Amino acid sequence: MPDPTSRTSPARPTGPTGAKVLEVNGLRRSFGTVRAVDDVSFAVPEGGSLGVVGESGSGKSTTARIIVGLERADTGDIRVRGVTRPAGVRGRTRRLARAREVQMVFQDPYLSLDPRTSVDAVLRETLRLHFPRIDHGRRVRELLDQVGLGTRAADALPRQLSGGQRQRVAIARALAVEPAVLVLDEAVAALDVSVQAQILNLLADIRERTPVGYLFITHDLGVVRHVTDDVIVMRHGAVVEAGRTADVLAEPRHPYTRLLLDSVPRPGWDPERIAAARRSLTDNSPNRRSK
């Protein structure tokens, strides 16, 4: 497969060493005859933020699920803090240690939270599982403060919270285990625009205070523009373009990246022209030409 369009630039100076917290090399995953993930490689530095962009079916969510451990790769290597992340481990202690490395925040916070469990109980359950010997009450208060909720939300059930508040709880639960990497799979897509901005600002604040690395899975180029340092663009399971976010969005080199940018509605937007460009790109794709 040809190399994706890419740009080289100095790494973002993060942490005392700028060490990579996540490295993905040659990841592949097929479902029958469909290659959902096709030779995907990237890295996230300590305190860094990488966007993974693509339309539905591009392979971005499958990539995220493999990294978290919800799917298994056919081939490829994943390393967290320089240590290979095994596809599966035995023993409770090792499973918990593996879970702490990478945490995921899903698109719909209501579905990811138990509707019968209060915010306080959600966080205490996570802490009891991973850190049984610490002061759970104090840590819960710290987490609620970190995500901007405060202790007044501790007794609330998910249905008593707004969408933005529920997503803050989901972020607090993920941060409770002190992960090296936080995977955010369309984490603001279900929220109103004003609430999206609040959550993105929260994530930016957290990144300034902790060494956690972010992996943003999204179709929203606005999100990528504001909260990521680097970006990869995926199409049909493969990376077609990669580089610094500002460079890729300002001067996209791959036709598919240009199509994604042109598809964002704005003054003078021509949907018929975009549809024609999409047909042309599909007709000229390697998969179509090989048939």
Side-chain angles (χ1 to χ4, degrees):
M1 186 187 75
D3 291 337
T5 301
S6 62
R7 300 165 172 83
T8 58
S9 62
R12 178 181 184 270
T14 58
T17 63
K20 296 175 182 177
V21 290
L22 175 66
E23 298 171 85
V24 175
N25 296 296
L27 212 62
R28 287 186 169 90
R29 179 71 166 102
S30 296
F31 298 95
T33 59
V34 177
R35 184 166 289 180
V37 180
D38 186 4
D39 194 24
V40 170
S41 300
F42 57 81
V44 179
E46 183 180 77
S49 181
L50 174 71
V52 183
V53 177
E55 296 173 300
S56 178
S58 63
K60 61 186 188 299
S61 288
T62 302
T63 299
R65 290 174 64 85
I66 292 172
I67 292 169
V68 175
L70 299 176
E71 296 276 358
R72 288 199 178 197
D74 298 327
T75 59
D77 179 66
I78 300 170
R79 296 188 178 190
V80 177
R81 293 187 177 125
V83 179
T84 299
R85 184 171 169 83
V89 295
R90 294 183 178 182
R92 183 175 184 274
T93 300
R94 294 181 65 190
R95 286 198 303 270
L96 290 175
R98 184 177 184 273
R100 285 193 294 273
E101 293 177 343
V102 181
Q103 285 286 298
M104 192 169 191
V105 177
F106 296 92
Q107 176 176 344
D108 191 337
Y110 193 73
L111 294 179
S112 67
L113 298 172
D114 187 335
R116 302 163 298 177
T117 305
S118 70
V119 172
D120 181 82
V122 165
L123 298 178
R124 284 179 182 269
E125 180 182 9
T126 300
L127 293 169
R128 278 196 299 267
L129 187 63
H130 291 276
F131 306 115
R133 294 181 178 85
I134 70 169
D135 183 342
H136 295 153
R138 178 179 178 180
R139 183 60 176 144
V140 167
R141 291 190 295 271
E142 291 174 350
L143 288 165
L144 291 176
D145 182 65
Q146 187 175 15
V147 299
L149 282 176
T151 56
R152 288 183 297 178
D155 296 329
L157 296 173
R159 60 181 172 80
Q160 297 171 315
L161 301 174
S162 68
Q165 289 173 323
R166 289 194 288 264
Q167 197 62 295
R168 289 172 188 266
V169 174
I171 293 169
R173 180 177 59 183
L175 293 174
V177 302
E178 302 174 5
V181 180
L182 196 60
V183 178
L184 300 118
D185 189 5
E186 301 284 7
V188 297
L191 304 175
D192 293 338
V193 174
S194 60
V195 180
Q196 286 185 13
Q198 295 171 15
I199 297 300
L200 294 176
N201 286 337
L202 167 66
L203 292 169
D205 290 342
I206 291 170
R207 188 156 72 105
E208 289 180 359
R209 300 172 186 172
T210 70
V212 65
Y214 287 165
L215 187 66
F216 272 92
I217 312 298
T218 183
H219 67 279
D220 190 333
L221 295 174
V223 170
V224 168
R225 187 185 303 276
H226 292 293
V227 299
T228 68
D229 307 314
D230 301 279
V231 64
I232 63 173
V233 181
M234 292 187 65
R235 181 171 186 254
H236 298 329
V239 176
V240 297
E241 186 158 1
R244 301 294 286 180
T245 300
D247 296 339
V248 171
L249 297 186
E251 298 182 10
R253 295 180 179 178
H254 194 277
Y256 180 66
T257 310
R258 292 195 291 271
L259 177 64
L260 291 179
L261 288 166
D262 290 343
S263 297
V264 179
R266 60 184 178 274
W269 183 63
D270 185 352
E272 292 184 0
R273 181 177 64 82
I274 300 304
R278 185 179 297 278
R279 287 193 297 270
S280 176
L281 186 61
T282 301
D283 291 342
N284 292 322
S285 68
N287 290 340
R288 176 62 62 89
R289 293 198 302 267
S290 65
K291 291 180 180 179

